[in-house]
Amino acid sequence: MTSTRRSVQLKHARRLFITRQRLAGPQPTPDRAGILETIRDLRCLQLDPTSAVARSHLIVLWSRLGSFDPLVLERLAYEERVLFEFWAHQASLVLAEDFPIHQFAMRTDIKSDAAWRERTREWIAANPKLRDHILRELRKRGPLRAREIEDVSEAPWHSSGWTNERNVGRMLDLMSVQGKTLVSRREGGQKLWDLGERCLPPKLDRKKLPAREVVRQATRLALRALGAARLAHIREHFTRGRYPDLPDVLAKMTAKGEVVPLQVLDGKEALKGDWYMNAEELPLLESIEDGWWEPRTTLLSPFDNLICGRDRTEEMFDFHF
């Protein structure tokens, strides 16, 4: 594969990344269409309670759109159901059109071999009464805040963190990983929970994709957002930690011409590892190499998609966050 890799200078790989992140080039319009266009390029907006200036997901959009109406984003998520809250590379707003990809996590994450997952499975199994009670209450009364649901747990959740003995909230979180409960809306930052089926569009593609097809689609979307990336970067982006058999999937995508293997050069020195990009991005890369570049200056949230991978940020920009 090494002999067939396309060479690209680090400067151009950076510019490709920044452009695909919608931080260079034509600025999206600050309306519903522009918000959706931007999210489709980023694929997820990380949610975080920190709001010294504003909530992170709002800053991420502001950095790309300029001033926009946050109520439009809320309507997309909590009325139109075009977006929903789920775990991407962290707790995020994700696209309902990506449901077949996220459904894979709903089916498999709780079954993983990780020690913490085994503990959660044991705790859920010890609390069938609480689980069933929550589902009944939501079906009958939802949407509800966690504190509006009676705690009928039989075995408390123990943690050294803020979730200690917050049994209802913990069960809601764990069932949301399986898609059984999801956030219906937020009021003053507080989550109102409901049955997962009510928090998604009624006409939703619920087709269960094979694992490798999920990884292929997620890889294509992650590379779209990253421009050029190594395996480690892909694994940490979009559907973080959910790329089983990624090397083999990438090899097959390369053989089909969907992905182009790259060698990234800083001058004459090659950066470590094999890099990849979507073949469909070649015209944009060639345009950048030919001198096209329309940069902008803006401010970024600490959780911005451009810099959320701290190791990649240092590797590509020589910047330690």
Side-chain angles (χ1 to χ4, degrees):
M1 184 181 290
T2 302
S3 61
T4 63
R5 286 188 296 175
R6 186 194 192 281
S7 294
V8 58
Q9 284 293 325
L10 175 59
K11 175 177 76 171
H12 297 138
R14 286 172 174 166
R15 290 182 175 183
L16 176 63
F17 181 27
I18 292 168
T19 302
R20 293 311 292 124
Q21 286 285 306
R22 303 310 297 265
L23 289 165
Q27 191 166 6
T29 54
D31 54 13
R32 181 186 184 281
I35 290 171
L36 266 180
E37 178 187 334
T38 302
I39 296 173
R40 284 191 172 116
D41 277 334
L42 301 179
R43 233 57 208 180
C44 60
L45 294 175
Q46 181 175 334
L47 298 168
D48 191 88
T50 305
S51 58
V53 177
R55 296 286 300 280
S56 178
H57 62 290
L58 299 177
I59 299 174
V60 169
L61 288 176
W62 174 86
S63 298
R64 290 153 176 83
L65 304 170
S67 296
F68 72 99
D69 185 353
L71 291 177
V72 176
L73 179 65
E74 286 189 27
R75 285 196 292 270
L76 284 169
Y78 306 123
E79 294 179 21
E80 297 181 43
R81 306 297 185 187
V82 176
L83 309 171
F84 69 100
E85 294 193 24
F86 195 63
W87 195 267
H89 58 238
Q90 291 289 342
S92 304
L93 282 172
V94 299
L95 290 152
E97 65 196 57
D98 287 339
F99 181 79
I101 294 174
H102 298 299
Q103 186 185 43
F104 176 71
M106 294 176 183
R107 299 198 315 261
T108 62
D109 268 21
I110 202 73
K111 300 175 185 176
S112 76
D113 295 332
W116 71 280
R117 278 300 185 209
E118 182 177 352
R119 181 186 172 219
T120 58
R121 285 195 299 271
E122 291 174 353
W123 186 74
I124 291 172
N127 282 289
K129 183 178 177 182
L130 175 61
R131 181 195 61 218
D132 294 345
H133 174 70
I134 288 173
L135 292 174
R136 279 196 306 271
E137 288 292 285
L138 291 179
R139 188 169 297 281
K140 179 180 170 183
R141 301 168 52 217
L144 298 170
R145 296 172 181 82
R147 57 182 167 80
E148 294 174 320
I149 301 173
E150 183 184 1
D151 182 358
V152 296
S153 58
E154 297 164 285
W157 174 264
H158 292 299
S159 166
S160 58
W162 68 272
T163 61
N164 187 52
E165 295 197 9
R166 295 192 177 188
N167 304 310
V168 174
R170 189 61 182 145
M171 184 65 79
L172 284 163
D173 283 335
L174 294 174
M175 288 197 294
S176 74
V177 174
Q178 300 172 290
K180 293 180 179 180
T181 60
L182 291 172
V183 175
S184 176
R185 66 178 188 271
R186 287 177 180 251
E187 292 181 358
Q190 291 191 341
K191 299 176 183 178
L192 276 82
W193 294 88
D194 205 346
L195 301 176
E197 63 206 50
R198 294 177 180 165
C199 301
L200 296 166
K203 295 181 179 179
L204 184 69
D205 183 1
R206 297 178 180 271
K207 177 173 54 183
K208 293 183 180 180
L209 299 176
R212 290 201 169 213
E213 178 58 19
V214 170
V215 175
R216 188 191 74 81
Q217 291 190 21
T219 298
R220 181 178 62 82
L221 295 171
L223 281 174
R224 176 178 172 178
L226 295 168
R230 294 193 297 107
L231 267 72
H233 305 154
I234 297 169
R235 287 190 176 110
E236 287 296 302
H237 207 75
F238 181 34
T239 55
R240 181 171 289 173
R242 297 172 181 153
Y243 292 90
D245 301 318
L246 178 59
D248 190 50
V249 171
L250 267 174
K252 286 182 169 56
M253 293 176 75
T254 302
K256 291 179 179 179
E258 298 174 342
V259 163
V260 176
L262 299 175
Q263 180 184 49
V264 178
L265 301 171
D266 188 3
K268 294 183 178 180
E269 185 177 347
L271 270 63
K272 67 180 180 181
D274 294 321
W275 293 66
Y276 301 88
M277 67 177 290
N278 284 332
E280 62 192 29
E281 301 294 347
L282 278 171
L284 175 57
L285 175 61
E286 289 167 356
S287 176
I288 290 170
E289 291 174 328
D290 288 342
W292 175 84
W293 178 235
E294 294 180 4
R296 300 196 298 270
T297 300
T298 189
L299 299 174
L300 299 180
S301 159
F303 304 112
D304 192 278
N305 298 52
L306 184 81
I307 54 176
C308 64
R310 303 305 197 218
D311 291 342
R312 174 179 163 90
T313 301
E314 189 161 2
E315 190 172 354
M316 288 200 74
F317 297 101
D318 194 26
F319 175 70
H320 177 72
F321 195 97

